[in-house]
Amino acid sequence: SNALPQTAFTGDAAADAQAVLAAIRAGHVYSTIDGLGGPAVMSFTATSGTATAAAGDVLPLAGPVTLRIAMQASEGARMEIVKDGGVLETRTGGEVEHVVEAAPATYRVEILLPAAPGEPPVPWMVSNPIYVGRGAIDAVPSDTRPRPSRFAMQYKDGPVAGWTVETSPASVGALDV
């Protein structure tokens, strides 16, 4: 499931559909795997100075960054704070406040349940990232934006046929092996 924690519904289908699309476009969404547990409820924000951002937002730097995560989960649920793709901190408990240095980074949260399948275990909830100290792509002049490079799609046993990496003019798709 996808949860839109900042979206309020009015009962007007057309207006609510627009609100859902706007929330997804803004990245104000987190994902859950309902088969692992429920109900799945999570809040993830970051504050620096007087500014606060939620998942999907850009947070300007104005001093140390306080990450706040709250979740409704069963006993033993583990919360991982992910910084720039690597696990920064692992904690248990329903609420976590973690202070990090004032430096550009991308943070997101994964919630794992003790009996989750897989190695590593499949995360139960995954937030969208908060982009700390990073500017919006629209603020970058178009002639200095990263350009896609040439690549060959690869899989464990060799080249992949029929796969593509989709991007928009404001994004870059890449595969690291």
Side-chain angles (χ1 to χ4, degrees):
S1 293
N2 290 317
L4 309 170
Q6 300 175 23
T7 304
F9 297 108
T10 65
D12 175 347
D16 290 348
Q18 291 299 323
V20 167
L21 291 174
I24 292 169
R25 285 184 184 120
H28 298 161
V29 60
Y30 64 88
S31 306
T32 65
I33 298 181
D34 298 329
L36 295 179
V41 179
M42 173 175 49
S43 170
F44 174 41
T45 62
T47 303
S48 182
T50 60
T52 298
D57 292 338
V58 174
L59 178 68
L61 280 173
V65 177
T66 302
L67 303 170
R68 289 183 183 87
I69 304 106
M71 67 172 173
Q72 178 177 315
S74 62
E75 182 91 16
R78 195 173 76 232
M79 181 183 310
E80 291 183 347
I81 301 170
V82 180
K83 175 186 178 188
D84 296 331
V87 176
L88 171 69
E89 182 82 22
T90 301
R91 301 223 190 143
T92 58
E95 293 187 28
V96 168
E97 188 170 289
H98 185 78
V99 179
V100 295
E101 67 183 26
T106 302
Y107 296 94
R108 64 182 178 81
V109 176
E110 292 187 2
I111 310 296
L112 298 107
L113 296 177
E119 189 54 49
V122 174
W124 174 41
M125 289 189 269
V126 177
S127 77
N128 262 355
I130 296 175
Y131 306 96
V132 175
R134 311 240 191 235
I137 191 71
D138 294 335
V140 177
S142 61
D143 60 338
T144 62
R145 290 182 189 163
R147 299 282 183 230
S149 58
R150 294 182 187 265
F151 60 91
M153 296 300 292
Q154 297 290 312
Y155 194 66
K156 180 175 131 185
D157 299 318
V160 174
W163 285 65
T164 62
V165 176
E166 293 186 14
T167 64
S168 74
S171 68
V172 175
L175 173 70
D176 278 336
V177 179

